């Protein structure tokens, strides 16, 4: 089963993806996690991505597309995968279509999570407070200010892209 999971920041894509992983035994390919790993490894592309991610903006399409296509070629995706947080732009969606076609494979479904924006903001505030009080890990982009940018970017570049003449689609 090859799935794409879409939705605004804070919608719970990661949480839902993990449930699907447990049920179907296919890997979760989260571009956010892969980029955070690149940042942690202090590679040149990781360091470049860090500044963009800290501002809540999108990492350039070519960087993300290359990260995803390399990951799709790992052996553990033989029975499928869940793409979490990719594609987010029309260019990424078209690149994915092309890369899948080259490999002779197709998506089975695209799932979109819809969450009320006030609920998203409450959730992100809660997440930040919880991490602060428990002294736990907090993502550098999980604060109300950057979160607002992530939401704006989602609205402008991902949600609107679905309405474009070349919508993100699961039938190719
Ligand atoms: P969220 O969906 O909550 O914003 P992610 O972990 O999916 O969190 O993404 C964190 C950051 O990683 C994004 O704000 C963006 O900077 C970068 N990123 C993740 N996926 C993509 C993508 N497909 N295209 C461009 N940038 C991405």
């Amino acid at each position: 089963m090859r799935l794409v999971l879409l939705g605004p920041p804070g919608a719970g894509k990661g949480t839902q993806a993990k449930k699907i992983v447990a049920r179907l035994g296919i890997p979760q390919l989260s571009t956010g996690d892969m980029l955070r790993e690149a940042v942690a490894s202090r590679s040149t592309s990781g360091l470049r991505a860090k500044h963009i991610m800290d501002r809540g903006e999108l990492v350039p399409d070519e960087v993300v597309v290359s990260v995803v296509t390399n990951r799709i070629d790992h052996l553990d995706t033989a029975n499928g995968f869940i793409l979490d947080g990719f594609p987010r732009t029309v260019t990424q969606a078209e690149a994915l279509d092309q890369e899948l076609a080259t490999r002779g494979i197709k998506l089975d479904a695209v799932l979109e999570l819809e969450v009320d924006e006030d609920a998203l903001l409450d959730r992100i505030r809660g997440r930040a407070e919880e991490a602060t009080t428990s002294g736990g890990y907090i993502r550098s982009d999980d604060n109300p200010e950057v979160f607002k940018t992530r939401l704006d970017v989602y609205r402008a570049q991902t949600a609107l892209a679905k309405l474009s003449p070349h919508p993100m689609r699961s039938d190719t």
Side-chain angles (χ1 to χ4, degrees):
M1 180 84 80
R2 296 182 194 92
L3 305 172
V4 165
L5 201 49
L6 293 177
K13 294 187 294 294
T15 307
Q16 297 307 322
K18 284 187 176 64
K19 290 187 182 182
I20 299 173
V21 166
R23 203 167 167 145
L24 300 180
I26 50 178
Q28 171 193 7
L29 275 46
S30 155
T31 41
D33 286 350
M34 292 187 254
L35 290 167
R36 280 185 287 276
E37 276 163 28
V39 170
S41 75
R42 306 186 65 81
S43 62
T44 318
S45 59
L47 293 177
R48 247 184 83 206
K50 179 173 170 37
H51 298 291
I52 300 172
M53 294 168 78
D54 282 349
R55 287 199 301 269
E57 291 163 9
L58 293 185
V59 172
D61 289 328
E62 65 276 13
V63 174
V64 188
V65 167
S66 121
V67 164
V68 169
T69 45
N70 287 333
R71 183 62 187 85
I72 284 178
D73 288 335
H74 286 203
L75 287 177
D76 64 346
T77 62
N79 292 325
F81 49 76
I82 310 167
L83 281 171
D84 161 9
F86 178 93
R88 293 195 193 202
T89 64
V90 172
T91 305
Q92 292 179 16
E94 288 175 346
L96 178 64
D97 273 351
Q98 210 178 329
E99 294 293 341
L100 294 181
T102 306
R103 290 161 179 77
I105 53 180
K106 289 181 178 183
L107 292 178
D108 294 292
V110 176
L111 307 173
E112 183 186 14
L113 303 181
E114 281 183 18
V115 182
D116 177 78
E117 286 203 8
D118 288 338
L120 290 176
L121 287 167
D122 281 351
R123 200 176 283 177
I124 214 73
R125 273 188 216 107
R127 234 194 242 178
E129 275 164 25
E130 207 177 290
T132 312
T133 43
S134 70
Y137 165 76
I138 180 162
R139 268 170 53 175
S140 52
D141 59 350
D142 260 354
N143 59 71
E145 206 176 299
V146 177
F147 185 76
K148 173 111 192 3
T149 308
R150 284 161 56 201
L151 206 50
D152 288 345
V153 166
Y154 180 79
R155 264 194 237 108
Q157 303 199 45
T158 308
L160 279 182
K162 291 184 301 181
L163 307 174
S164 81
H166 301 289
M168 293 182 185
R169 54 191 191 266
S170 61
D171 60 348
T172 50

